[in-house]
Every structure is written in C-alpha cells, then in structure tokens.
Amino acid sequence: MVYRGSVLIFVTVKGEQVKKLKLICFTLLFLMLLAGYGFYCSVCKLEKSSYVIQNRKIIEEFRILQLSDLHNSTFGHSNEKLLSLVSAQSPDLILITGDLLNSDDDRVDIAYDLISGLCTIAPVYVSLGNHEVEYQDKFGVDIAGMYEEAGAVVLEKEYVDISINGQQLRIGGIYGYCLPAEYLSTGEAAPEECRFLTEFQNTERYTILMCHMPACWIVNDGISEWDVDCVFAGHAHGGQIRIPFIGGLWAPDQGWFPGKECGLYFSDDESKVMVLSRGLGSTETVPRLNNIPEVVVVDFMPKESGR
C-alpha cells in the first residue's frame, strides 16, 4: 500500500508539473504570436494620424500631409497602398521630411517613383535627411536633383513663399540640428544654419519648416527660441519599439525612453508647434515593433480671438 501510495503521489506531482509546463508553453506561444503580429503591423500596415493646428496668422484653412523615413519600404506594388491613402486625404500640400532611401543601398527607384506618384496628388516639397546626405557622399549622386526631376521642390537652407487657398505661407527646409543662436558662442551651433533661420523667420507669413532632425527643437528648446510657427520633423522612428502605456524605447540623439518621439510639441507660450512623425520604415538593426507606419495629416485653421 505504501508503494502504491508513493506511486500515486508521484503521479500527482508529475501531473501538476505537466500542467505548469503546458501553461508556460501556451504563454510563450501567445507572446510569440503577439510579437509576430506586432512586427507584421509595424512593417506592412499603414496608419493615419490626424491633428488640428490653430493660429491667428491663419486666415484660410488648408491641409498638409507629411511623410517621413520611408527607407525604401513599399506598401503594395509600387507603393499603391500608400499612394491610395495619401490621395484619399485630399491634401493641399505634401511634405517629405527626409530619409526616403537608404544610404547603404544604391536603389533610388522606390523614392523616385513615390515622388512621381505623389506629385499627381498635390504639390510636393522635400527636405533632406541624413540618409540622403550620406548617399550623396557615398555614391556621388545628386539626390536633390533626382527628387526635383521626379517633380518635387527640394529645399535645403532655402524657402519659398506661396499661397494656398488664399493663405500666405513660407515653406522652408533644412538638414541640421538648428541649435538656437545662443549656442554660437560655444561653437555648437552652425553659423550657416543660424543665418538661414534668422532670414527664414523674418516674415509676416505663416512659416512652416521641414527639418529631419527633431532633437534640438524639443530638447534644446529650439521651438521656443526660433520664431518658426510650425516645424515638421522625423528621424526618431517613433522610438523604434513602442511599449504600451510607456511609448518609444529609443530615439537617435535622445537616447533611451525619450518621451518625445512622435506627436505635437508646443513652445512655452503654445504659439509654435513641432509635428514629429513616427515615419514609415527603418534601417535599424532592431526592427520596428508595435509601431505602425504613419501618415500624418494636419488641418491648419484660424484661431478665434480670445482663445
């Protein structure tokens, strides 16, 4: 009887161990499937983020659509899914804030074809990202010229004054960190960047600046120091891996858990704003996760007096 009892106890203990093992296996399988789905969505899906920006300089409504950090990604054949989503938004202007291609990949057809398609929807303005700059240095190709051949207006430390729906705008583009002028004395700020921004902000028009690098606008308070009404930026990839209820894990020039990796960020007096896109692709060793590629749509509207 003792022998049987011992066997019985052994079988009972073994049965409990099997149950625990099954629970662990099912939990791991669930987490793997969840991670796989998150990875799939972060590569293949598209998401639209919509914002409204009001300002007293704005007298007529207009809509801007921003794309950033494509990194040679494709959404459907010849990016037809991306082009279809952009077209459905009926933008007045399309802004591309850099890194359409990859600096270590000699392919330029994806970026060229996308710009060509976008130009059939609305006027396209482009500023360069670090991958365009590195590509030009590595392959000796005039990327700015190529983008313009595809139909875009490329702005690098340049601006244009335009009118959209009767609204007077100044659109500019710059690749750089755009540190406030106070950093000139320390040698950290670039004089040519400061000269351009000083000239760019000298207008009564509503000013919109494309700048791939966001860090100094939100970390070094450039959004409050420079008199630029709206900055469109990218580069941060939304923190690459997004953790629920926490946000992005890591962003270039901002480090771990940056806290500011996508969305709207206002100046101290809330009169100026930066629009930071999560972007569409990535070249990082760690893939995007829980980070659906983003198309940003901003409706600019008049601000009522007293509000």
Side-chain angles (χ1 to χ4, degrees):
M1 294 294 292
V2 174
Y3 178 75
R4 283 185 172 182
S6 298
V7 172
L8 183 61
I9 291 171
F10 172 75
V11 172
T12 302
V13 171
K14 186 177 180 181
E16 290 177 353
Q17 289 176 337
V18 170
K19 286 182 180 179
K20 289 181 179 179
L21 185 60
K22 285 183 177 179
L23 179 60
I24 292 171
C25 289
F26 280 126
T27 301
L28 290 174
L29 179 61
F30 174 76
L31 292 175
M32 289 174 63
L33 291 172
L34 191 64
Y37 180 72
F39 173 73
Y40 167 78
C41 291
S42 300
V43 174
C44 301
K45 296 287 187 179
L46 284 169
E47 182 174 82
K48 179 187 72 171
S49 296
S50 299
Y51 303 107
V52 174
I53 292 176
Q54 294 178 302
N55 190 284
R56 290 187 176 86
K57 289 185 180 179
I58 298 172
I59 58 173
E60 298 293 341
E61 297 180 17
F62 61 97
R63 171 173 286 187
I64 286 181
L65 185 142
Q66 179 199 16
L67 301 177
S68 193
D69 298 273
L70 182 72
H71 289 293
N72 276 344
S73 300
T74 54
F75 301 89
H77 178 68
S78 298
N79 266 316
E80 59 185 6
K81 288 173 59 178
L82 178 57
L83 288 167
S84 177
L85 178 58
V86 171
S87 180
Q89 310 315 309
S90 301
D92 295 303
L93 292 176
I94 298 171
L95 304 185
I96 300 177
T97 48
D99 282 7
L100 280 180
L101 43 69
N102 294 326
S103 62
D104 58 355
D105 183 354
D106 62 359
R107 290 194 66 177
V108 295
D109 57 303
I110 294 174
Y112 186 95
D113 292 345
L114 178 62
I115 290 175
S116 297
L118 292 170
C119 287
T120 67
I121 299 171
V124 177
Y125 293 84
V126 179
S127 64
L128 303 181
N130 54 293
H131 278 261
E132 276 91 7
V133 173
E134 293 166 12
Y135 188 100
Q136 291 183 143
D137 292 340
K138 183 175 183 178
F139 294 102
V141 176
D142 180 10
I143 292 298
M146 187 197 75
Y147 286 176
E148 289 182 337
E149 182 183 315
V153 176
V154 179
L155 299 172
E156 171 50 35
K157 297 185 185 69
E158 297 174 296
Y159 63 83
V160 292
D161 291 336
I162 64 172
S163 177
I164 296 293
N165 301 336
Q167 174 66 47
Q168 302 300 308
L169 301 174
R170 173 166 288 184
I171 309 288
I174 183 172
Y175 172 73
Y177 283 96
C178 300
L179 279 163
E182 64 187 78
Y183 288 88
L184 281 170
S185 60
T186 66
E188 296 173 87
E192 68 275 12
E193 292 179 12
C194 291
R195 282 193 293 270
F196 166 73
L197 289 168
T198 299
E199 181 181 350
F200 176 75
Q201 68 185 12
N202 185 26
T203 180
E204 296 299 318
R205 292 169 177 260
Y206 187 81
T207 51
I208 296 175
L209 180 68
M210 299 177 291
C211 180
H212 183 70
M213 316 291 275
C216 288
W217 294 98
I218 49 179
V219 176
N220 297 88
D221 209 28
I223 196 64
S224 291
E225 293 299 320
W226 292 112
D227 191 15
V228 177
D229 296 309
C230 183
V231 177
F232 281 87
H235 190 58
H237 295 181
Q240 196 68 15
I241 294 175
R242 296 191 61 77
I243 303 172
F245 310 110
I246 295 177
L249 182 65
W250 183 85
D253 304 312
Q254 294 173 255
W256 296 98
F257 302 105
K260 295 179 178 180
E261 67 282 322
C262 62
L264 302 184
Y265 300 99
F266 289 87
S267 60
D268 294 338
D269 62 3
E270 298 188 351
S271 65
K272 296 169 285 185
V273 61
M274 185 181 75
V275 183
L276 179 52
S277 169
R278 296 198 309 269
L280 293 159
S282 176
T283 58
E284 301 295 334
T285 303
V286 177
R288 291 172 71 107
L289 186 62
N290 296 325
N291 188 3
I292 300 175
E294 180 182 46
V295 173
V296 176
V297 178
V298 182
D299 288 309
F300 290 84
M301 303 179 68
K303 186 172 185 178
E304 297 178 12
S305 300
R307 294 185 59 186

